[in-house]
Amino acid sequence: MTHVAGGAFGLVAILAFILAAVAALLAIGSGQGFASLVADPVILPALRFTLLQAGLSTLLSLLFGIPVALALARQRQFPGRIWLIRLMAVPMGLPVLIGALGLIGIWGRTGLVSALLLGIGVDEPLSIYGLSGILLAHVFFNMPLAARLLLAGLERVPAEYWMLSAELGMGRSATFRFVEWPVVARLLPEVAGLVFMLCATSFTLVLVLGGGPAATTLEVAIYQALRFDFDPARAVSLAVLQIGVTGALLAVISLLPAPDEAIAGSERPVRRFDAGSGLVRLQDGLLILAAALFLGLPLMSILVSGLRADLFALLIEPAFLSAAVTSLSIAGSAALLSTGLALLLVRAIIALRVRGSGLASRLLSGSLSAAGSLVLLVPAIVLATGWFLILRPLGEISRFAPAIVIGINALMALPFVLRILTPAVEDHRRISGRLVASLGISGFVKLWRIDLPVLARPLAMAVSFAMALSLGDMGAVALFGAEDVTTLPWLIYSRLGSYRTNDADGLALILGVICLALTMLGTAGAKRSREAVAHV
């Protein structure tokens, strides 16, 4: 009963924080009708561009991600394959602003690609700003995600399928049509929906690479309406429209067919008989190399450009020290809050499942399960807008900024933290629950002797991932940020705005190293965790 009460408390806290912001938006925007939205010169263009760039980004991410996944699935044995797959996971854990700086270093007017084009006689350098830059950045972040998800599905295909296709003499096109494409087609709707959702709610990339009013999404328009124009009515209209867009996207994604898990790979080693010819190896090799360069060069640019800066001077600069303390304090608090909320929700859901299948239990369990996804409905910039309007009558908003940013970052990390903790807590209860109950172990003794040794690693992973996510966030901080509340991403963005790109590169490298250290810390201790499970 204690677990259920804790979960109910967490659910009420989440709903109160979100609904307060939404209520503030609706209270101000209730008098505005559809005609005002249509007549506003900013709102409809921002909506059109949001959907346009998200659609094109999704299309391009899949067009490049599918061939890369197919090539990696065919070529299962080559030096560095595991490192390339790990490299494809880096953009998802990389602060968006750092990735944007890396892309500018390669594709910008003074970047590597422009220098190569000038070397062969092309006078006009590339421009990474505007729609083309946004698409490039979204492909950089989302193509690896799509490729990894599709690769995971292709690697579940049983070895017998490939043996049968070889015995039947199926060529490359027939193998793709009858074996590979059915797997890809089952995964494609869910992958496309996820990528579209990420691109439609992108804020930092569009803010940095948008390049003007013609390339402004709903979230960036909300930020501009409050920070530059100070037009709360327009900001509210944009925020309500953004909620409608994200709600429609989540509804469509929920209606998409789930991937068919009926086909499961066997434990036998898989041999791809269609990957042995020299031409196929050459084509796949070139494709894999192109993907590695596309992902690796911006990361290398961050490293090289960052090392050119005076890192020691930046590290002892008062502005950096203040921003670092602020960022780490906010990130640490948000990570602990998010992990605590996730534990309350997970333990309550498990307790309700154990109690039985009554209507009240099912309703509460469903509400707790949906709480993690509810925050996806209201993006960070929309939450920040609602709380901005709530706090504005109270005076200096920057006084409340840290608490609001912590709450928003905790909620934004909650879906990912839940995905880490839910299977770990469920497995731990399944393995040790009956034994612990029979021995009468409870309270602090159970927490210290039974739970922590087993759950230490997933908890560390959850906290470190949430901290890294919060450290790289610039959505809420962009709206509440002031001289008294400056985080590392906002400091980097400020240096870019004042054309101090050398400092921005150095700060980006430092932030990247901090996030990498958090990731390594979260994945440490795997062996000790497995030993603890074995003892239980």
Side-chain angles (χ1 to χ4, degrees):
M1 197 65 188
T2 303
H3 293 332
V4 176
F9 173 78
L11 177 62
V12 170
I14 292 171
L15 289 176
F17 190 85
I18 294 176
L19 293 179
V22 174
L25 296 173
L26 295 178
I28 295 181
S30 58
Q32 301 186 42
F34 180 76
S36 63
L37 295 179
V38 175
D40 194 296
V42 172
I43 293 177
L44 286 185
L47 175 61
R48 284 196 298 268
F49 185 78
T50 298
L51 299 178
L52 172 66
Q53 62 84 20
L56 291 176
S57 297
T58 302
L59 179 63
L60 291 173
S61 296
L62 294 177
L63 284 177
F64 291 110
I66 291 173
V68 171
L70 294 173
L72 286 170
R74 274 191 298 267
Q75 307 302 329
R76 294 176 178 256
Q77 300 290 334
F78 65 86
R81 183 179 186 270
I82 184 62
W83 291 105
L84 176 60
I85 294 176
R86 289 173 180 172
L87 175 66
M88 294 173 67
V90 170
M92 285 304 297
L94 189 71
V96 174
L97 185 58
I98 297 179
L101 287 174
L103 290 170
I104 292 173
I106 299 298
W107 298 91
R109 287 184 173 273
T110 60
L112 177 63
V113 175
S114 293
L116 292 175
L117 292 177
L118 289 173
I120 61 175
V122 179
D123 295 332
E124 184 66 26
L126 294 175
S127 175
I128 197 175
Y129 299 100
L131 178 61
S132 59
I134 294 171
L135 296 180
L136 177 68
H138 280 158
V139 172
F140 173 78
F141 280 97
N142 296 307
M143 181 274 287
L145 172 64
R148 281 173 61 89
L149 293 174
L150 295 173
L151 177 62
L154 290 167
E155 289 185 337
R156 288 196 299 267
V157 175
E160 291 79 9
Y161 280 40
W162 308 115
M163 293 176 62
L164 183 60
S165 66
E167 291 174 359
L168 294 175
M170 295 169 62
R172 186 172 179 181
S173 59
T175 301
F176 173 76
R177 179 182 176 186
F178 294 107
V179 182
E180 294 175 322
W181 176 246
V183 177
V184 172
R186 281 192 296 270
L187 295 170
L188 211 52
E190 186 180 49
V191 174
L194 174 62
V195 173
F196 190 94
M197 184 75 178
L198 292 173
C199 296
T201 56
S202 176
F203 173 75
T204 304
L205 282 178
V206 181
L207 182 65
V208 175
L209 301 176
T216 298
T217 59
L218 289 173
E219 294 200 7
V220 173
I222 293 170
Y223 164 74
Q224 293 172 342
L226 286 179
R227 291 288 290 185
F228 297 120
D229 303 331
F230 199 74
D231 188 346
R234 174 179 288 171
V236 168
S237 299
L238 289 163
V240 173
L241 187 58
Q242 177 70 38
I243 294 175
V245 169
T246 52
L249 290 176
L250 287 174
V252 170
I253 292 174
S254 67
L255 295 175
L256 293 175
D260 186 4
E261 300 293 343
I263 296 179
S266 65
E267 297 298 326
R268 298 172 53 185
V270 175
R271 180 183 175 189
R272 291 292 299 266
F273 297 91
D274 58 333
S277 69
L279 180 59
V280 172
R281 287 182 177 274
L282 177 62
Q283 291 175 341
D284 288 345
L286 291 176
L287 185 59
I288 291 171
L289 177 62
L293 290 175
F294 179 70
L295 297 176
L297 286 177
L299 300 178
M300 187 61 65
S301 173
I302 295 168
L303 177 61
V304 173
S305 300
L307 291 176
R308 289 175 181 167
D310 191 344
L311 295 178
F312 180 76
L314 289 174
L315 287 171
I316 63 174
E317 185 180 341
F320 166 78
L321 294 175
S322 175
V325 170
T326 301
S327 289
L328 291 173
S329 300
I330 290 175
S333 301
L336 292 175
L337 178 58
S338 184
T339 305
L341 285 172
L343 283 175
L344 290 177
L345 297 178
V346 172
R347 292 166 74 93
I349 291 170
I350 294 174
L352 288 169
R353 290 175 183 171
V354 173
R355 287 178 56 182
S357 57
L359 178 60
S361 296
R362 289 201 305 270
L363 289 176
L364 182 55
S365 178
S367 301
L368 293 170
S369 300
S373 301
L374 180 63
V375 298
L376 299 176
L377 179 63
V378 188
I381 192 68
V382 177
L383 278 176
T385 302
W387 278 101
F388 181 93
L389 297 173
I390 291 173
L391 298 174
R392 185 177 55 153
L394 301 180
E396 184 59 42
I397 295 179
S398 62
R399 292 184 300 160
F400 308 98
I404 299 302
V405 173
I406 287 170
I408 292 174
N409 287 350
L411 290 183
M412 292 301 108
L414 186 59
F416 306 98
V417 173
L418 282 170
R419 295 194 68 173
I420 295 173
L421 292 182
T422 299
V425 175
E426 288 181 341
D427 289 345
H428 174 51
R429 186 208 163 273
R430 177 174 49 82
I431 294 172
S432 64
R434 291 184 179 180
L435 178 60
V436 169
S438 65
L439 295 175
I441 303 174
S442 62
F444 179 78
V445 175
K446 177 179 179 294
L447 175 65
W448 183 256
R449 296 290 186 181
I450 306 297
D451 295 338
L452 283 182
V454 176
L455 298 178
R457 182 178 178 237
L459 285 171
M461 288 180 63
V463 171
S464 63
F465 187 85
M467 279 194 69
L469 196 65
S470 180
L471 278 172
D473 174 72
M474 211 174 73
V477 175
L479 197 57
F480 282 97
E483 292 183 0
D484 297 331
V485 187
T486 300
T487 61
L488 286 175
W490 187 251
L491 181 62
I492 295 171
Y493 181 70
S494 300
R495 295 293 168 89
L496 279 176
S498 58
Y499 300 101
R500 298 171 63 180
T501 55
N502 197 39
D503 286 355
D505 291 334
L507 293 170
L509 178 60
I510 295 170
L511 179 58
V513 170
I514 294 174
C515 292
L516 178 61
L518 287 170
T519 303
M520 294 176 64
L521 180 64
T523 56
K527 182 177 180 181
R528 293 193 298 272
S529 180
R530 287 194 296 269
E531 290 174 351
V533 173
H535 284 306
V536 171

